[in-house]
Amino acid sequence: MAFDIDMIKKVYGRLEKRVEEARKVVNKPLTLAEKTLYAHLHETQELINFERGKSYVNFAPDRVAMQDATAQMALLQFMQAGKKKAAVPSTVHCDHLILAREGAKEDLKNSISTSGEVFNFLESVSNKYGIGFWKPGAGIIHQVVLENYAFPGGMMIGTDSHTVNAGGLGMIAVGVGGADAVDVMAGMPWELKFPKLIGIRLTGKLNAWASAKDIILKVAGILTVKGGTGCIVEYFGPGAEALSCTGKGTICNMGAEIGATTSTFGYGESMERYLRATGRSEVADLANSVKQHLNADPEVYQNPEKYFDQVIDIDLSTLEPHLNGPFSPDIATPISKMREVAEKNGWPTKVEVGLIGSCTNSSYEDISRAASLARQAVDKKLKTKAKFTVTPGSELVRYTIDRDGFIDTFNQIGGSVFANACGPCIGQWERPGADKKEKNTIVHSFNRNFSKRADGNPNTYAFVASPEMVTALAIAGDLSFNPITDSLVNEKGEKVMLDPPSGFELPVKGFDVEDAGYQAPVEDGSGVTVKVAPDSKRLQLLDAFAPWNGKNIKGMRLLIKAKGKCTTDHISMAGPWLRFRGHLDNIANNTLTGAVNFFNEKTDSVKNQLTGEYGTVPETQRTYKANNIPTIVVGDHNYGEGSSREHAAMQPRHLGVRAVLVKSFARIHETNLKKQGMLALTFMKEEDYDKIKEDDIIDMPDLESFSPEKPLTLLLQHGDGSSEEIKVAHSYNDAQIEWFKAGSALNLIKLQESGNH
Ligand code: MIC
Ligand code: SF4
């Protein structure tokens, strides 16, 4: 039985009318993304022809999903909003807080005991507010959403950047911070700048060793980590239609790595097959009845250049398997070039560990194809050189692949299976020896490979590849092994080659599971009490941030001028810090500890301008806070790329940072800063970044006239007595300026709720 079928019926019931109205207003054929966006305007939003990349639009998403690590903050905020129940179907998934150490069973048990307090909190809040709860071990949020909730033409938001995975089932699914989720659960509009549209036309047919993953690895190489910012990517063409639904999911999932707002595919046969295989024939039938609105108008795909802001062509017939990395998901190297490129860059080529699975690549198809290679290794008497691990994305998949013998095959090449959770993908991998910080190489089928991401070791070179390639490279133990052309020597000393992988799109015998791990909320949650122990180290009820005092800011000190890449992992690291995701004051002790200080090139070492001494970022900031001195953080391009975690905005806010000034922002992070009452500013002239000196005192003399589209002034008083002015831009609209004034968007909801506004 499909969840929330009435809601889906409602969405489809009004689809045609809404699409037609939109077509009239836009006055030209519509892309799929436009149809879904226009069909989801909030009732308070007037229907006009929105300007892409400019207009702020109020939407009404159909559902919300939250994962444990971000749900804590989202729900702590929602608890303050004064609502009885979540206004739209919402779910919580326990997946990030699960360690990967010994193996699925023990790890799950240990994690439930170490994070029990948090899981119980999430369970009781979910129960209270009518939110579906997926227990630890049920699976990774995005896989569970694809299997149960995603539906073509729907719109959802989720407190995780890879929410976009649901584009594989034709949704417009967007990753957001918890404060955005609160808006939607409170029944308020969700605001998004109307995205620009990138069309990617896939022609030809994937050759034997290439897979859906290679398409997105290639796209990441073309567009880079910021090329998709502010855009929805729509895939189409014969190559797109031929992909499996889960393969489409992989492509959309990693769209987060190019900064895209989301990615999507038109409804087609593989989606229908997937819906039916996952027990949702009813949804498939409904989708079939509105099929023409679940794809772009035919003119669009015939003449894409006319309707998209950018069009990219990829011929799948010539697409090679890729390896992306190290340290960034957009450094794309085709496998045939790896030997040469690795040598030139001094990348270690011995592969220590191959890890498959994660929310990105753990479909039945992925696992069966990887298993076909593992099977060959056994049959051809090859000794697998690297360690090998499997992280299934859901209990449904784990149960089914176990039943079908694939886990057994992986065991035969020495593989081990971790819990159905994020584990090694989010620094929850207790990798033996990682503390020695040795230079080494791993390959995985996850999506991110920022420094320290998997095992906390900054010298681990992580490369992203398809599960098939990861398996082949783990067998060979060599990063530059090209299975298409190279042979291996087996235990008998014979030269053998691996045949191309083969697998099944969907299980021939159907999916199966004993306990998928879902717990429905009680009908009436008003009697449920949510307990947070006052002395808890893991959870802390939130205090409201102070409203703006209405005055210009004077005397800001520079906390840090970050150099180069500054992702959310640099601003609020995951791994060991995940345990404090529900305790703002404790987690604030990791604030910006991964960012490189421009002035001494060190991490977590900044000058305290009150003492002249160097200290850690959090300690230094706490001294400024204790002395009531406002501060500013300065950064480079694509500041805050990566995760949706709003901690990266709330922590600086909690510690007294007032403004973040950068060359450019990643979308989710910029919104998170605004929602939490911070000033998110960008240099009008990028070179002005160079004008910021270590011991500057900075004023904002015209903040009192803060208004949309009007640049603000920063007065820099340098240590040598000289001073200069620079202009900075911002993207706040009127409503967002109100968030700033109120101290946060949440403060504003509370005011409205109590009728004071
Ligand atoms: C990630 O992949 O970085 C995460 C962990 O899933 C994050 C969410 C988080 O930080 O909790 C994300 O992508 O949003
Ligand atoms: Fe979990 Fe990794 Fe997927 Fe994020 S990218 S949801 S950490 S598996």
Side-chain angles (χ1 to χ4, degrees):
M1 237 290 280
F3 288 96
D4 309 306
I5 195 76
D6 291 338
M7 176 267 281
I8 298 175
K9 280 186 186 152
K10 223 157 105 196
V11 173
Y12 287 163
R14 63 184 186 221
L15 188 59
E16 176 158 287
K17 182 163 165 273
R18 292 201 172 182
V19 168
E20 266 160 21
E21 283 168 0
R23 204 182 283 111
K24 255 187 238 140
V25 171
V26 177
N27 200 18
K28 59 176 184 199
L30 297 174
T31 61
L32 167 63
E34 285 168 307
K35 289 185 185 179
T36 311
L37 290 171
Y38 277 98
H40 283 87
L41 299 183
H42 191 265
E43 58 191 19
T44 56
Q45 175 66 59
E46 187 197 347
L47 170 64
I48 54 165
N49 186 1
F50 301 111
E51 198 178 333
R52 296 180 191 171
K54 261 226 121 90
S55 315
Y56 280 103
V57 182
N58 284 333
F59 291 104
D62 304 314
R63 55 181 321 123
V64 174
M66 293 162 279
Q67 44 90 340
D68 51 3
T70 50
Q72 299 170 63
M73 218 27 108
L75 293 173
L76 283 164
Q77 295 177 78
F78 184 65
M79 283 163 67
Q80 297 200 355
K83 298 284 176 186
K84 282 215 169 64
K85 231 180 154 111
V88 301
S90 305
T91 48
V92 163
H93 305 257
C94 299
D95 53 2
H96 283 61
L97 297 177
I98 295 161
L99 275 179
R101 188 169 36 207
E102 288 158 41
K105 268 220 177 81
E106 306 75 42
D107 292 349
L108 190 59
K109 208 164 102 210
N110 290 339
S111 305
I112 291 177
S113 96
T114 38
S115 292
E117 180 187 1
V118 172
F119 295 140
N120 291 340
F121 166 77
L122 293 174
E123 186 180 348
S124 61
V125 186
S126 301
N127 213 6
K128 186 169 180 66
Y129 296 107
I131 297 170
F133 181 71
W134 289 80
K135 294 185 279 192
I140 310 173
I141 176 168
H142 312 302
Q143 181 69 31
V144 173
V145 165
L146 196 73
E147 283 165 5
N148 296 281
Y149 298 116
F151 65 98
M155 177 190 259
M156 70 178 285
I157 59 166
T159 60
D160 189 286
S161 60
H162 295 105
T163 303
V164 292
N165 189 65
L169 243 176
M171 276 200 123
I172 292 293
V174 183
V176 297
D180 286 45
V182 171
D183 287 347
V184 176
M185 289 192 293
M188 296 180 16
W190 171 65
E191 189 194 67
L192 180 75
K193 200 181 265 182
F194 201 90
K196 293 200 167 185
L197 304 175
I198 299 179
I200 300 192
R201 178 169 38 203
L202 305 178
T203 51
K205 200 168 163 286
L206 283 172
N207 59 56
W209 277 94
S211 71
K213 180 76 154 207
D214 298 301
I215 301 176
I216 185 63
L217 294 177
K218 171 87 185 167
V219 170
I222 298 171
L223 284 172
T224 79
V225 288
K226 47 180 208 286
T229 308
C231 299
I232 293 186
V233 183
E234 186 168 324
Y235 290 85
F236 62 95
E241 283 156 33
L243 292 168
S244 66
C245 175
T246 50
K248 292 174 182 170
T250 297
I251 294 174
C252 294
N253 180 301
M254 259 196 90
E257 272 54 63
I258 54 165
T261 302
T262 192
S263 310
T264 197
F265 282 84
Y267 178 63
E269 285 167 20
S270 66
M271 289 187 195
E272 178 175 353
R273 284 196 296 273
Y274 186 72
L275 282 170
R276 297 198 192 279
T278 49
R280 289 173 289 169
S281 283
E282 210 177 342
V283 180
D285 294 340
L286 287 171
N288 285 344
S289 71
V290 287
K291 223 178 200 155
Q292 73 274 31
H293 308 305
L294 303 175
N295 268 292
D297 290 336
E299 297 88 327
V300 170
Y301 295 157
Q302 278 151 19
N303 261 314
E305 282 75 12
K306 256 174 88 181
Y307 302 100
F308 291 100
D309 299 287
Q310 183 183 355
V311 177
I312 296 173
D313 273 295
I314 299 180
D315 175 6
L316 302 187
S317 316
T318 59
L319 182 68
E320 257 192 80
H322 277 63
L323 283 169
N324 284 25
F327 308 120
S328 193
D330 57 350
I331 305 171
T333 310
I335 187 66
S336 63
K337 298 270 160 15
M338 194 37 131
R339 185 155 298 143
E340 184 189 324
V341 176
E343 194 172 308
K344 198 169 105 218
N345 290 292
W347 298 338
T349 49
K350 176 165 183 272
V351 173
E352 304 283 343
V353 192
L355 306 99
I356 65 163
S358 87
C359 69
T360 326
N361 269 113
S362 60
S363 63
Y364 189 85
E365 181 178 40
D366 289 335
I367 302 285
S368 63
R369 282 170 62 88
S372 76
L373 296 169
R375 174 89 267 139
Q376 288 184 52
V378 178
D379 295 345
K380 296 182 180 176
K381 309 262 176 301
L382 282 162
K383 193 167 161 28
T384 300
K385 300 264 177 44
K387 291 208 178 65
F388 187 71
T389 73
V390 184
T391 309
S394 72
E395 178 58 11
L396 185 75
V397 162
R398 192 212 59 81
Y399 190 94
T400 311
I401 60 171
D402 192 18
R403 179 200 68 190
D404 293 349
F406 298 139
I407 291 193
D408 192 42
T409 308
F410 292 131
N411 287 338
Q412 289 178 38
I413 63 160
S416 51
V417 179
F418 288 137
N420 311 321
C422 300
C425 178
I426 178 68
Q428 290 281 67
W429 181 23
E430 292 216 338
R431 182 179 176 195
D435 50 332
K436 289 194 219 127
K437 303 226 161 49
E438 282 162 353
K439 191 165 167 179
N440 77 99
T441 286
I442 62 172
V443 278
H444 62 59
S445 70
F446 312 160
N447 45 41
R448 293 209 166 131
N449 54 355
F450 302 139
S451 169
K452 301 197 215 171
R453 166 106 179 163
D455 60 0
N457 174 3
N459 300 317
T460 291
Y461 287 56
F463 294 85
V464 182
S466 69
E468 299 88 308
M469 284 303 289
V470 170
T471 310
L473 299 190
I475 295 169
D478 178 4
L479 189 70
S480 59
F481 170 67
N482 181 354
I484 306 168
T485 52
D486 302 349
S487 56
L488 295 165
V489 178
N490 72 6
E491 283 171 314
K492 293 199 209 139
E494 298 158 348
K495 271 191 170 183
V496 290
M497 283 190 79
L498 292 172
D499 300 324
S502 61
F504 306 91
E505 177 183 307
L506 292 161
V508 179
K509 287 190 263 166
F511 281 109
D512 214 349
V513 69
E514 256 162 33
D515 174 10
Y518 176 69
Q519 200 169 293
V522 292
E523 207 34 60
D524 174 12
S526 58
V528 179
T529 42
V530 177
K531 282 193 218 110
V532 174
D535 60 347
S536 168
K537 302 238 169 347
R538 306 273 316 252
L539 296 164
Q540 181 187 41
L541 294 174
L542 292 172
D543 285 330
F545 292 132
W548 179 46
N549 64 6
K551 302 230 161 57
N552 291 331
I553 301 178
K554 272 197 134 107
M556 280 193 292
R557 303 297 176 124
L558 176 72
L559 174 60
I560 185 170
K561 173 161 144 177
K563 186 178 172 191
K565 212 178 193 42
C566 192
T567 70
T568 43
D569 280 1
H570 298 82
I571 308 170
S572 174
M573 195 180 284
W577 290 92
L578 276 176
R579 67 179 183 280
F580 296 127
R581 285 286 184 88
H583 196 297
L584 186 54
D585 195 51
N586 282 347
I587 199 167
N589 290 331
N590 80 1
T591 305
L592 283 156
T593 49
V596 177
N597 179 356
F598 177 89
F599 299 104
N600 61 8
E601 308 254 330
K602 290 188 184 155
T603 52
D604 206 17
S605 165
V606 291
K607 189 167 171 185
N608 179 331
Q609 294 193 43
L610 304 176
T611 62
E613 278 162 25
Y614 283 81
T616 68
V617 184
E619 271 168 31
T620 309
Q621 178 56 34
R622 284 199 194 266
T623 351
Y624 291 130
K625 183 179 185 180
N627 287 284
N628 259 326
I629 296 174
T631 56
I632 181 168
V633 168
V634 172
D636 219 307
H637 272 300
N638 209 22
Y639 182 88
E641 85 178 76
S643 151
S644 66
R645 60 190 78 140
E646 64 200 322
H647 304 74
M650 292 177 92
Q651 294 171 215
R653 173 80 169 108
H654 169 69
L655 293 179
V657 177
R658 301 297 300 276
V660 179
L661 169 62
V662 299
K663 292 186 189 166
S664 63
F665 281 110
R667 175 189 60 87
I668 305 179
H669 187 61
E670 183 179 21
T671 310
N672 286 345
L673 287 168
K674 291 178 176 177
K675 288 239 142 157
Q676 301 300 339
M678 289 270 258
L679 286 167
L681 310 169
T682 49
F683 290 102
M684 300 271 290
K685 290 200 209 117
E686 269 176 31
E687 324 78 85
D688 286 350
Y689 174 87
D690 301 325
K691 293 188 177 153
I692 311 279
K693 301 285 182 284
E694 194 170 22
D695 32 35
D696 279 354
I697 297 182
I698 303 173
D699 294 345
M700 295 191 64
D702 52 11
L703 187 62
E704 285 168 26
S705 57
F706 190 16
S707 47
E709 296 188 31
K710 191 174 151 231
L712 288 162
T713 311
L714 247 57
L715 180 64
L716 315 174
Q717 295 156 263
H718 300 308
D720 63 2
S722 66
S723 64
E724 61 192 310
E725 251 186 34
I726 60 169
K727 290 280 180 205
V728 297
H730 67 81
S731 61
Y732 290 73
N733 60 18
D734 281 318
Q736 296 170 340
I737 291 178
E738 291 305 312
W739 304 342
F740 169 73
K741 289 185 177 162
S744 70
L746 181 62
N747 286 353
L748 209 62
I749 302 185
K750 284 196 286 183
L751 280 174
Q752 284 161 352
E753 197 59 22
S754 60
N756 290 338
H757 200 76

